[in-house]
Amino acid sequence: MSHRKLMASLALTAVAAGALYSCKPKGAQAAVSGDAAEKAYVAPGKYDEFYNIVSGGFNGQLGIYGIPSGRLFRVVPVFSQSTESGYGFSEETKPMLNTSHGFVPWDDLHHLAISETNGEHDGRWVFVNGNNTPRIARIDLSTFRTAEIIEIPNSAGNHSSPFITENSEYVVAGTRFSVPLDDQNGDVPINTYKQNFRGTVSFIHPDPTTGNMSIAFQIKTPGVNFDLARAGKGKSHGWMFFSCYNTEKANTLLEVNASAKDKDFIMAVNWKKAEEYLKAGKGKKEAVKYAHNVYNESTHTATSTMMNEVTTLDPKECPDMLYFIPCPKSPHGCDTDPTGEYIVGSGKLAALIPVFSFTKIQQAIANKTYDGDYDGIPVIKYDAALYGEVQKPGLGPLHTEFDGKGNAYTSMFVSSEIVKWNIKDLKVLDRVPTYYSIGHLSIPGGPTAKPYGKYVIAYNKITKDRYLPTGPELTQSAQLYDISGDKMKLILDFPTNGEPHYAEAIPASMLMSKQRKIYKIEENMHPFVAKGEGQTKVVRNGNRVDVYMTAIRSHLTPDNIEGVKIGDEVFFHVTNLEQDWDVPHGFAVKGANNAEILIMPGETQTLAFKPDRVGIFPFYCTDFCSALHQEMQGYLRVSPAGSNVALLFSTGKNNGATANPADSSKAKTTKP
Amino acid sequence: MSHRKLMASLALTAVAAGALYSCKPKGAQAAVSGDAAEKAYVAPGKYDEFYNIVSGGFNGQLGIYGIPSGRLFRVVPVFSQSTESGYGFSEETKPMLNTSHGFVPWDDLHHLAISETNGEHDGRWVFVNGNNTPRIARIDLSTFRTAEIIEIPNSAGNHSSPFITENSEYVVAGTRFSVPLDDQNGDVPINTYKQNFRGTVSFIHPDPTTGNMSIAFQIKTPGVNFDLARAGKGKSHGWMFFSCYNTEKANTLLEVNASAKDKDFIMAVNWKKAEEYLKAGKGKKEAVKYAHNVYNESTHTATSTMMNEVTTLDPKECPDMLYFIPCPKSPHGCDTDPTGEYIVGSGKLAALIPVFSFTKIQQAIANKTYDGDYDGIPVIKYDAALYGEVQKPGLGPLHTEFDGKGNAYTSMFVSSEIVKWNIKDLKVLDRVPTYYSIGHLSIPGGPTAKPYGKYVIAYNKITKDRYLPTGPELTQSAQLYDISGDKMKLILDFPTNGEPHYAEAIPASMLMSKQRKIYKIEENMHPFVAKGEGQTKVVRNGNRVDVYMTAIRSHLTPDNIEGVKIGDEVFFHVTNLEQDWDVPHGFAVKGANNAEILIMPGETQTLAFKPDRVGIFPFYCTDFCSALHQEMQGYLRVSPAGSNVALLFSTGKNNGATANPADSSKAKTTKP
């Protein structure tokens, strides 16, 4: 079925369902109540109620917004180089983007999962996925910095990721694309897909204290596409549910060929059982290659380690670990309610929403109420797992979140709306248009055992006529709805940085007080730190020149450097001596084939520079730091290769440079 | 004077002046009137009144915001690589970042100037400066894309840039750092600054029809630091005014050594006179090297040309072209009022604001009321040029804009406030706190002959406790004030992407209707375009493999590619066949050492990929485009070097690949 045919088919379904909404609802004014301005407005000097942590999708970054204002406070670079901060450009951060494929400057960051304790957000870390070159990153919520990135072997399109268990035992990562697995390393035709392509789901264990990740195990699966997942909670703790599509195992024109079957699957994984198999020695160590990158906050430097082994479990040798549950059709979202009893499957081409019961699934397994198997894995009968179906919900259901008051909210991509329904009786209670083509939606705490339930936020794929236009490329956006009453009320449209793929929100009070403000200079263990101006120096080692530099309002030390020659590589190690909050310094050199570095108080960062010509290269502080910021500058003299200009450096000495750092630091105090 | 001493000195000045404000005003609530929410709020479905075009400072990009909502609609990559769009990563856009120093992935974008006709914004282009590796870029306001970048030779720290004349005759660029000029190419000690270092100001001419820039001429100047500039207008049309500091010509610890003199200068340039000298043959052609990069919207490809000559004027040979006007002390902003009669100099260490009169300056020149010369250039007597002084304005005046109703608004960095004063009687009328440390400020149309005068926006350097904190690195921000009444009223705090260095706002109506929505596929002249699926193909040329690919909802053609081998470089040329607004497609390949590409409707962009291993590499559409976006994917098979796997490609053929593109495009229509 082509896209056109599909749309026609869906339109017919809509007509058949007597739906009262259009694909492109026009005019939101009617939906905006008079007090919307007051609800969305956060007065100057006041704080937002929630941190909204929003994936940037294809920008590879994470956006930190306030709710209800919709204001963007910070873009956290994760998988993508950031010219603003120097992340991925500085010597310290480049290892963060290393992979088994070498340096990868970008990824497609789709989903995130805030760490949990007892099924509730605990505000320690947020895990995010790299979709293209499979990786999981961990961001520290006390610094809003990327602390760690681990590559996922045996994966290709890490979309069904990351989803977290109720005590952060595991963060899971399912491969979107099945491929020949790494250990096969074979050169096989693409049309041998059915024989040679396999899927995997990976269970990554974050250390409960440090958060440091390791791949506990991978489960090999049939060659389907994994899309999304959610952990069981409460009574279903110990289980993980993955949506999968392309159970047709098509390898071309999936638009048509992966939409052929009426039902695909939700894959239920009993990971407690998997742990038993591991203990029983069923795990197989396989040779693979993947990078594990960790940022050290003492040395202010990342290291990348190439790992070479992973433990896999083969379901053929591990019965009672995996089950398939039929789900109409091409399921996308797969969401568990706050109690853990209900699993909502959202078939993006389906005209209803099936709700499965964990209790019934367990009974079906006990009674072996199967409809045969799929590649040796039992397929539970649809009716045996089903609690019930939400009828006529809308077109193109994608994702469901919960308000903790017994209601579910499902995003409808094709009919551009959010539909609210009751989990118990499966009755539709309310529907509101979204502008346009909603993907994910988010309720603060919505995927946890403790939703806050005050707002739902729509993340839309198309904005078209909603904002001042900006040429062919338009913003994507979010919409904020008040769900404190019976009816959803649209409060605010706010545009987003990048593609707002998914988001989780967490009360401001959980994060505000724990924010790190500075790095203590005395704890700085960077190998090239200068902990005071007296420690600044310039050291030559062959063609390598290391500048131990300090920055403090409003000068750089040294600020006159000579003796560098063509052929040298200069490493400017800049330590920010400030010990106050919100006083970063930046550093850049004319003509560098590099980004700037942005250095937080107490931190050291390094800019590598290879001069291309003889002459004077100015450098300066790039972050407006003080009334005399514009005076915070210096000069590097580059002499010809083979020149005999001596290595000299100083600050405040106008009458010739000196090699004596003590002189250098004293010099400026003796000046008028 | 150290920073600490300076602050103490300024504090004393504040006390002496009996100032009623503090450096860190606390609590904005009192300043927010009850209807602020309604004034700042733009209801869903409604549009903002103004496009606010905000420089990103050290992120090298341009932000497009709405006023009064403060919402960010678009980040336009200019001098910095963008992982989101692939700007600076795709083969087509990499030439945009070429310089005489090679590929430079970043710059520090400080100021912008919207093109003008008759002294008013005409909404055609916006010019911006690259501060670090001197460049000027032009952004097309019908596409919000960077159309052109020109490097500035004989410059080092292109800060006093870009400022525009009233009919866009010139965009000027003054060097912040004086350096030995390029033609000297000498290796000189830094402490020979006074003998060897020179400044320049460059006059860049945009073609009135196309906007294409060329360097008309450069004027060599004494070795001071140029900071900012403004063109004359109305009666002062034909003149340009530059602020300069470090007239001490210090080369180290400028914090102290460039703050020694009581007065530095505003440099007045009679550019009509410069044009006469050029016509009279006084221009000297000098050998230099600079890149000129132009993006072609037909081929969707940028080219970089290395230029090798520039015309310079030496003031020694061109009398009556340059004049210095003393200005207290370390002038930063240098702003001309809407009539062009008044030039406001803001000495960042000064306790008053001098206002100069263009009429008096002309009289002084006519009468040679000079105070000697500086490096041969006449210095006009301070009192002879002065209209008057604004007394006790606050601490750390930086920049002034105008409301068109006879009032000026000056930002005060040290005392963190905006001060409103009357241009005629120089009386202070109002002052409001900013949170905190305001740099630039902006009134829509404020630097032109026709200010709109409804709002003033403060661009602040420090936010500290104003927003939910995000670790050591905090957002910078803007504040919106209503200036429609006698008193300024704070309406909104909004955070910004990057450092909001400067901004100009333009009425929405001037840009909305002229926005380009798509590129017509039939006008696509890209050398590797496929204008329909029938034109898709894969071509080998030695180790280079070109994939002519198309993207349309919801498949890529071809989506099965075989015959690529280790050692090949694959160029995916992806043409987006869509012809509807807001339907971009994205493209990425697993393991590529590259960013994604984002392809607008009708456009072709190219991702270069060098496979590092044998196996299957999935690729997919990265921009959620349709209900079957997740099905929009394909596979590349990479075989060992020397393998004899034939080059094959197809879409929709499950039973083996084909080399026949006709088959390929037909295949999918014959499938169920």
Side-chain angles (χ1 to χ4, degrees), chain A residues 20-35:
Chain A
L20 296 167
Y21 41 84
S22 71
C23 286
K24 288 280 162 72
K26 290 287 174 196
Q29 287 71 358
V32 181
S33 63
D35 58 353

mmCIF file of all heavy atoms in Angstrom, chain A residues 20-35:
data_model
loop_
_atom_site.group_PDB
_atom_site.id
_atom_site.type_symbol
_atom_site.label_atom_id
_atom_site.label_comp_id
_atom_site.label_asym_id
_atom_site.label_seq_id
_atom_site.Cartn_x
_atom_site.Cartn_y
_atom_site.Cartn_z
ATOM 1 N N LEU A 20 -14.996 13.172 14.209
ATOM 2 C CA LEU A 20 -15.415 14.563 14.118
ATOM 3 C C LEU A 20 -14.231 15.511 14.030
ATOM 4 O O LEU A 20 -14.320 16.659 14.407
ATOM 5 C CB LEU A 20 -16.263 14.911 15.343
ATOM 6 C CG LEU A 20 -17.568 14.130 15.416
ATOM 7 C CD1 LEU A 20 -18.206 14.279 16.773
ATOM 8 C CD2 LEU A 20 -18.514 14.554 14.299
ATOM 9 N N TYR A 21 -13.111 14.979 13.535
ATOM 10 C CA TYR A 21 -11.920 15.805 13.512
ATOM 11 C C TYR A 21 -11.283 15.685 12.146
ATOM 12 O O TYR A 21 -11.540 14.735 11.416
ATOM 13 C CB TYR A 21 -10.943 15.339 14.598
ATOM 14 C CG TYR A 21 -10.906 13.852 14.660
ATOM 15 C CD1 TYR A 21 -10.104 13.103 13.804
ATOM 16 C CD2 TYR A 21 -11.752 13.179 15.550
ATOM 17 C CE1 TYR A 21 -10.124 11.732 13.840
ATOM 18 C CE2 TYR A 21 -11.768 11.796 15.584
ATOM 19 C CZ TYR A 21 -10.950 11.077 14.732
ATOM 20 O OH TYR A 21 -10.966 9.712 14.759
ATOM 21 N N SER A 22 -10.470 16.677 11.817
ATOM 22 C CA SER A 22 -9.796 16.662 10.526
ATOM 23 C C SER A 22 -8.315 16.483 10.737
ATOM 24 O O SER A 22 -7.803 16.658 11.827
ATOM 25 C CB SER A 22 -10.061 17.972 9.800
ATOM 26 O OG SER A 22 -9.362 18.997 10.456
ATOM 27 N N CYS A 23 -7.621 16.142 9.646
ATOM 28 C CA CYS A 23 -6.176 15.944 9.749
ATOM 29 C C CYS A 23 -5.455 17.248 10.019
ATOM 30 O O CYS A 23 -4.397 17.274 10.589
ATOM 31 C CB CYS A 23 -5.627 15.304 8.472
ATOM 32 S SG CYS A 23 -6.068 13.561 8.362
ATOM 33 N N LYS A 24 -5.994 18.352 9.567
ATOM 34 C CA LYS A 24 -5.366 19.651 9.780
ATOM 35 C C LYS A 24 -6.384 20.589 10.414
ATOM 36 O O LYS A 24 -6.992 21.392 9.731
ATOM 37 C CB LYS A 24 -4.861 20.239 8.454
ATOM 38 C CG LYS A 24 -3.648 19.535 7.892
ATOM 39 C CD LYS A 24 -2.360 20.004 8.582
ATOM 40 C CE LYS A 24 -1.176 19.073 8.387
ATOM 41 N NZ LYS A 24 -0.634 19.116 7.044
ATOM 42 N N PRO A 25 -6.632 20.467 11.706
ATOM 43 C CA PRO A 25 -7.607 21.347 12.341
ATOM 44 C C PRO A 25 -7.156 22.794 12.211
ATOM 45 O O PRO A 25 -5.976 23.103 12.340
ATOM 46 C CB PRO A 25 -7.577 20.915 13.805
ATOM 47 C CG PRO A 25 -6.299 20.177 13.981
ATOM 48 C CD PRO A 25 -5.896 19.648 12.654
ATOM 49 N N LYS A 26 -8.060 23.675 11.952
ATOM 50 C CA LYS A 26 -7.727 25.088 11.733
ATOM 51 C C LYS A 26 -8.207 25.935 12.898
ATOM 52 O O LYS A 26 -9.300 25.759 13.401
ATOM 53 C CB LYS A 26 -8.387 25.599 10.449
ATOM 54 C CG LYS A 26 -7.795 25.018 9.169
ATOM 55 C CD LYS A 26 -6.423 25.598 8.862
ATOM 56 C CE LYS A 26 -5.799 24.885 7.659
ATOM 57 N NZ LYS A 26 -4.378 25.116 7.522
ATOM 58 N N GLY A 27 -7.372 26.867 13.298
ATOM 59 C CA GLY A 27 -7.801 27.866 14.281
ATOM 60 C C GLY A 27 -7.906 27.310 15.682
ATOM 61 O O GLY A 27 -8.795 26.538 15.996
ATOM 62 N N ALA A 28 -6.978 27.711 16.512
ATOM 63 C CA ALA A 28 -6.965 27.177 17.872
ATOM 64 C C ALA A 28 -7.634 28.100 18.861
ATOM 65 O O ALA A 28 -7.824 27.739 20.000
ATOM 66 C CB ALA A 28 -5.518 26.959 18.302
ATOM 67 N N GLN A 29 -8.016 29.259 18.407
ATOM 68 C CA GLN A 29 -8.491 30.286 19.340
ATOM 69 C C GLN A 29 -9.627 29.772 20.225
ATOM 70 O O GLN A 29 -9.651 29.996 21.413
ATOM 71 C CB GLN A 29 -8.949 31.545 18.581
ATOM 72 C CG GLN A 29 -7.808 32.369 18.016
ATOM 73 C CD GLN A 29 -7.125 31.700 16.839
ATOM 74 O OE1 GLN A 29 -7.473 30.594 16.451
ATOM 75 N NE2 GLN A 29 -6.118 32.348 16.300
ATOM 76 N N ALA A 30 -10.542 29.047 19.603
ATOM 77 C CA ALA A 30 -11.687 28.546 20.357
ATOM 78 C C ALA A 30 -11.255 27.663 21.514
ATOM 79 O O ALA A 30 -11.899 27.608 22.548
ATOM 80 C CB ALA A 30 -12.612 27.769 19.429
ATOM 81 N N ALA A 31 -10.109 27.005 21.316
ATOM 82 C CA ALA A 31 -9.656 26.062 22.332
ATOM 83 C C ALA A 31 -8.890 26.745 23.462
ATOM 84 O O ALA A 31 -8.562 26.129 24.458
ATOM 85 C CB ALA A 31 -8.785 24.993 21.693
ATOM 86 N N VAL A 32 -8.564 28.017 23.289
ATOM 87 C CA VAL A 32 -7.761 28.707 24.296
ATOM 88 C C VAL A 32 -8.671 29.490 25.234
ATOM 89 O O VAL A 32 -9.358 30.409 24.828
ATOM 90 C CB VAL A 32 -6.749 29.659 23.629
ATOM 91 C CG1 VAL A 32 -5.912 30.360 24.686
ATOM 92 C CG2 VAL A 32 -5.871 28.894 22.672
ATOM 93 N N SER A 33 -8.660 29.113 26.476
ATOM 94 C CA SER A 33 -9.534 29.787 27.431
ATOM 95 C C SER A 33 -8.898 31.095 27.865
ATOM 96 O O SER A 33 -7.708 31.329 27.684
ATOM 97 C CB SER A 33 -9.769 28.890 28.636
ATOM 98 O OG SER A 33 -8.553 28.670 29.296
ATOM 99 N N GLY A 34 -9.676 31.959 28.437
ATOM 100 C CA GLY A 34 -9.247 33.314 28.762
ATOM 101 C C GLY A 34 -8.080 33.395 29.719
ATOM 102 O O GLY A 34 -7.278 34.323 29.645
ATOM 103 N N ASP A 35 -7.962 32.416 30.591
ATOM 104 C CA ASP A 35 -6.903 32.489 31.583
ATOM 105 C C ASP A 35 -5.639 31.760 31.141
ATOM 106 O O ASP A 35 -4.727 31.541 31.924
ATOM 107 C CB ASP A 35 -7.387 31.935 32.921
ATOM 108 C CG ASP A 35 -7.871 30.501 32.791
ATOM 109 O OD1 ASP A 35 -7.944 29.994 31.649
ATOM 110 O OD2 ASP A 35 -8.170 29.886 33.833
#
